[in-house]
């Protein structure tokens, strides 16, 4: 495909009015807190509520989503960028028709491409808005530059933490790095916190209140509390079997917790408060920041 043809496709896509997907970026201050498990089980719960969902695995170098899905994708985002594959070629369909895109290292290499070709890629990615109501971006853990690029591009961040002291301090470090990022926009960014592996329900709220008090004082980042997921042996067993607990055991305590959190995210008040950006705006923000 020559450049002229690419530009014609871009212009044709720009003339069409497309729906915008809701992009939720799931992150954590450290690894091993259940971030990818959260992404998958929320996706399953959204599907049960009738929403079309696609997960973008942006945790470069790891394959947590595909391992938990028990499937190996044939293509990833690099194949769209460098091999001419279409957006439908790189989507793997998992349980309950949840779509999954492996990021590979594709996004990291976008800064080396011409603007015309970047526009072409964005017009391919924008097709996801017509294919999904919700797109979940599962980032890496910690404060690496790649993680922060996704966070500042996202209007809706779901921060996963646990009661472990290291998880709490690392969550604060992540929020501090986000606050100091030159493109962080407080007005356009909503941070929501989920506490995983809680032994008793009130523990999650207490942990949030303590962290939120420090964040409000020093970082001025507004946060909301989404809820908690209890420590649950059935969730651990589901991970070992490479099946989301929301599918394997609908009656599990962790499944019920994911259901409550999904319902809160899709509640009328929450949905009205959360504007939809869509994938074009999301990736444009990342690319423009790299230029």
């Amino acid at each position: 495909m020559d450049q002229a043809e690419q530009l014609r496709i871009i212009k044709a896509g720009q003339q069409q009015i497309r729906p915008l997907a809701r992009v939720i970026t799931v992150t954590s201050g450290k690894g091993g807190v259940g971030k990818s498990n959260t992404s998958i089980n929320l996706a399953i719960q959204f599907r049960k509520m009738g929403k079309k969902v696609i997960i973008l695995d942006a945790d470069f170098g790891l394959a947590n989503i595909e391992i938990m899905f028990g499937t190996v994708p044939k293509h990833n985002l690099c194949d769209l960028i460098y091999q001419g594959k279409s957006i439908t070629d790189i989507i793997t369909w998992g349980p309950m028709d949840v779509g999954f895109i492996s990021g590979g290292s594709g996004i990291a290499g976008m800064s080396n491409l011409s603007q015309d070709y970047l526009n072409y890629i964005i017009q391919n990615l924008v097709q996801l808005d017509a294919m999904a109501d919700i797109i979940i971006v599962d980032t890496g853990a910690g404060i690496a530059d790649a993680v922060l690029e996704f966070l500042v591009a996202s209007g809706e961040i779901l921060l996963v933490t646990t009661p472990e002291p290291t998880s709490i301090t690392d969550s604060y470090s992540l929020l501090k790095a986000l606050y100091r990022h030159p493109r962080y926009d407080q007005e356009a960014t909503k941070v929501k916190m989920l506490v995983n592996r809680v032994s008793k329900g009130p523990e999650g709220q207490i942990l949030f209140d303590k962290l939120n008090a420090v964040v409000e004082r020093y970082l001025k980042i507004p946060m909301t509390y989404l809820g908690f997921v209890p420590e649950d042996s059935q969730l651990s067993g589901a991970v070992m079997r490479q099946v989301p607990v929301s599918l394997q055991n609908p009656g599990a305590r962790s499944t019920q917790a994911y259901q409550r959190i999904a319902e809160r995210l899709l509640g009328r008040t929450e949905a009205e408060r959360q504007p939809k950006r869509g994938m074009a705006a999301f990736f444009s923000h990342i690319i423009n920041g790299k230029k």
Side-chain angles (χ1 to χ4, degrees), residues 50 57 67 94 103 128 132 138 140 143 164 172 177 185 206 210 214 222 229-230 244 254 260 266:
D57 188 354
I67 290 172
L128 294 174
D138 186 63
I143 59 174
E164 296 176 4
Y172 179 78
D185 184 346
I206 293 171
K210 289 181 178 178
V214 179
V229 177
S254 53
R260 287 192 296 270
L266 293 187

Side-chain angles (χ1 to χ4, degrees), residues 6 80-82 84 113-122:
Q6 294 171 8
L80 170 70
I81 297 171
Y82 303 110
L113 301 174
S114 70
Q115 189 61 49
D116 286 341
Y117 201 66
L118 288 172
N119 289 338
Y120 165 69
I121 293 166
I122 288 173

Side-chain angles (χ1 to χ4, degrees), residues 83-273:
Q83 302 299 325
K85 296 295 182 181
S86 70
I87 195 70
T88 54
D89 290 332
I90 68 171
I91 298 177
T92 300
W93 297 101
M96 287 192 69
D97 287 332
V98 172
F100 159 61
I101 298 175
S102 174
S105 59
I107 297 167
M110 280 186 172
S111 58
N112 299 320
L113 301 174
S114 70
Q115 189 61 49
D116 286 341
Y117 201 66
L118 288 172
N119 289 338
Y120 165 69
I121 293 166
I122 288 173
Q123 287 302 320
N124 270 274
L125 292 170
V126 79
Q127 295 178 47
L128 294 174
D129 288 332
M131 300 170 67
D133 300 305
I134 300 171
I135 297 172
I136 297 175
V137 180
D138 186 63
T139 75
I143 59 174
D145 289 343
V147 174
L148 293 174
E149 289 295 333
F150 282 108
L151 298 186
V152 297
S154 179
E156 186 171 8
I157 298 170
L158 201 168
L159 174 64
V160 180
T161 189
T162 70
E164 296 176 4
T166 53
S167 179
I168 299 168
T169 56
D170 287 343
S171 292
Y172 179 78
S173 297
L174 175 63
L175 292 171
K176 182 168 68 174
L178 173 65
Y179 175 74
R180 291 179 174 177
H181 195 284
R183 297 199 320 280
Y184 167 66
D185 184 346
Q186 178 176 307
E187 296 298 322
T189 306
K190 308 294 184 183
V191 179
K192 302 162 186 178
M193 183 170 155
L194 179 156
V195 184
N196 197 20
R197 299 174 190 159
V198 170
S199 57
K200 295 181 180 180
E203 183 180 14
Q205 182 70 59
I206 293 171
L207 189 154
F208 169 79
D209 291 341
K210 289 181 178 178
L211 179 60
N212 190 47
V214 179
V215 169
E216 282 187 337
R217 180 175 180 181
Y218 295 106
L219 304 181
K220 312 299 183 185
I221 294 178
M223 289 200 303
T224 58
Y225 178 55
L226 276 180
F228 71 94
V229 177
E231 187 73 55
D232 186 0
S233 61
Q234 295 188 62
L235 189 152
S236 303
V239 171
M240 295 299 293
R241 296 179 180 86
Q242 294 178 253
V243 179
V245 70
S246 292
L247 284 180
Q248 179 167 295
N249 193 335
R253 293 169 62 233
S254 53
T255 297
Q256 294 171 2
Y258 286 124
Q259 180 181 343
R260 287 192 296 270
I261 292 166
E263 288 173 347
R264 181 170 184 184
L265 284 167
L266 293 187
R268 182 176 177 181
T269 302
E270 186 72 26
E272 290 176 349
R273 188 167 51 208

Side-chain angles (χ1 to χ4, degrees), residues 2-115:
D2 61 23
Q3 191 175 74
E5 185 177 353
Q6 294 171 8
L7 291 174
R8 284 194 294 272
I9 293 173
I10 293 169
K11 291 178 181 178
Q14 289 173 337
Q15 293 171 355
Q16 298 176 11
I17 298 176
R18 296 180 181 274
L20 294 178
R22 181 175 174 181
V23 181
I24 301 175
T25 302
V26 181
T27 193
S28 62
K30 68 186 292 291
V33 301
K35 171 179 57 63
S36 296
N37 226 336
T38 296
S39 296
I40 289 175
N41 281 285
L42 286 180
I44 295 296
Q45 292 298 333
F46 290 145
R47 283 293 296 129
K48 289 181 177 181
M49 298 165 73
K51 300 298 182 181
K52 295 178 290 184
V53 187
I54 293 176
I55 300 174
L56 171 61
D57 188 354
D59 193 352
F60 306 139
L62 298 177
N64 290 339
I65 300 293
E66 61 190 72
I67 290 172
M68 293 180 186
F69 263 179
T71 183
V72 178
K74 293 182 180 179
H75 302 290
N76 60 33
L77 191 59
C78 288
D79 296 317
L80 170 70
I81 297 171
Y82 303 110
Q83 302 299 325
K85 296 295 182 181
S86 70
I87 195 70
T88 54
D89 290 332
I90 68 171
I91 298 177
T92 300
W93 297 101
M96 287 192 69
D97 287 332
V98 172
F100 159 61
I101 298 175
S102 174
S105 59
I107 297 167
M110 280 186 172
S111 58
N112 299 320
L113 301 174
S114 70
Q115 189 61 49

